Amino acid sequence: MTMAHGVCFGHVEVLPSPRGASWRRRREAGTRQEETRGYLARCRSSPHASGNVPGGNSSNGWKRRSALAAPLVATSLSLSSNAMEEDTSSIQRDPEVTQQVYMDIDIGGQPAGRIVVGLYGNLVPKTAENFATLASGNTKVGYKGSVFHRVIPGFVLQGGDFERGNGTGGYSIYGRTFADESFAGKHLGKGVLSMANAGRNTNGSQFFITLAPTPWLDGKHVVFGKVLSGWDTVDAIASNPTGPRDRPTKPVVVKDCGLL
C-alpha cells in the first residue's frame, strides 16, 4: 500500500528511518543527535515517497513511507530526559481530558502494569469515541487481546491491529476507515496518543504512543489523547527487545482494557 504521509495503516506506519545493525550501533555510540538533525532536514526538503518499509529495494537500503502506518516504520530521536520532561509538561496543559481508558499489559506472558490514557473528547469527539468504544469491551471486536506489534525505542509504540496483529489490519467503529477529524493536537512530547494511518482520511483502529517529541507528524496524524499514568509500563514496552520489523520478541499484549 502506498503511504501518503504519517503513520500508515493498511500497512499503517510511522516515519521512515535508516535501518540495520550499523545504524543501531551508531545510535548507541552517541551519534543519534547528528543523525536526527540530518533526517529531519531531509524530511523538510523532500515529500514522502511511496514504497515498503525501510530495508526494501530502494538504492540506499530503505524506502520512505508515511509516519505511522500499520507496520510502523520510524526513526529514533536523540533527546535529553530534561527535554522530554519539558515537552510532557506542555502536553499536560493542552486539550481537556474528557474520558479515561486503561490498558493492562502483559509482556511475554507476565503482567507489566497498567497504562491509563486520557482522551480529548471535546477536541476530536469522533476519534475519541472510536478508541473508547474499541477499548470498552462492549463490541464484538476491540483492543482486548490485541498486541503492540511495533516498538521503536525513542520514537513510538504502535498497536491497535486487533484483526491481524501485524499492522495490516483493524478497522473503526464507523466502517473500515474514517476521515481525519482535526490536526489541532500536536505531537509535543512523550506520551502523546495519536492515530496511525495509511494517508489522509484512513483512520481505523491502529494508534501509537510517542516516546519523544515528533513534530513532523503534526498535520498528518490526529492526536486524540495522552498518557496519564503507567510510565513504567510504557518504558518497559519500549525497552523490550525487538526483532524483524521492530516486532517485540516477547509479545506485548493488552490483557484487559476498559473505561474508568
Side-chain angles (χ1 to χ4, degrees), residues 88-137:
T88 302
S89 298
S90 297
I91 296 172
Q92 306 298 332
R93 298 193 298 269
D94 271 347
E96 177 187 3
V97 169
T98 59
Q99 196 169 26
Q100 295 185 26
V101 170
Y102 72 88
M103 288 187 167
D104 292 334
I105 305 298
D106 275 10
I107 298 178
Q110 299 299 315
R114 169 174 290 191
I115 298 172
V116 176
V117 298
L119 307 183
Y120 301 151
N122 291 333
L123 181 69
V124 282
K126 189 170 184 177
T127 308
E129 181 62 23
N130 180 65
F131 185 87
T133 301
L134 291 173
S136 68

Side-chain angles (χ1 to χ4, degrees), residues 138-149:
N138 296 327
T139 56
K140 291 183 179 179
V141 295
Y143 294 136
K144 183 175 181 178
S146 68
V147 300
F148 281 84
H149 62 272

Side-chain angles (χ1 to χ4, degrees), residues 152-166:
I152 311 290
F155 186 46
V156 294
L157 313 176
Q158 188 176 348
D161 181 0
F162 54 76
E163 184 180 17
R164 299 184 184 124
N166 62 5

Side-chain angles (χ1 to χ4, degrees), residues 66-78:
S66 278
L68 281 168
L72 187 76
V73 178
T75 185
S76 293
L77 302 182
S78 176

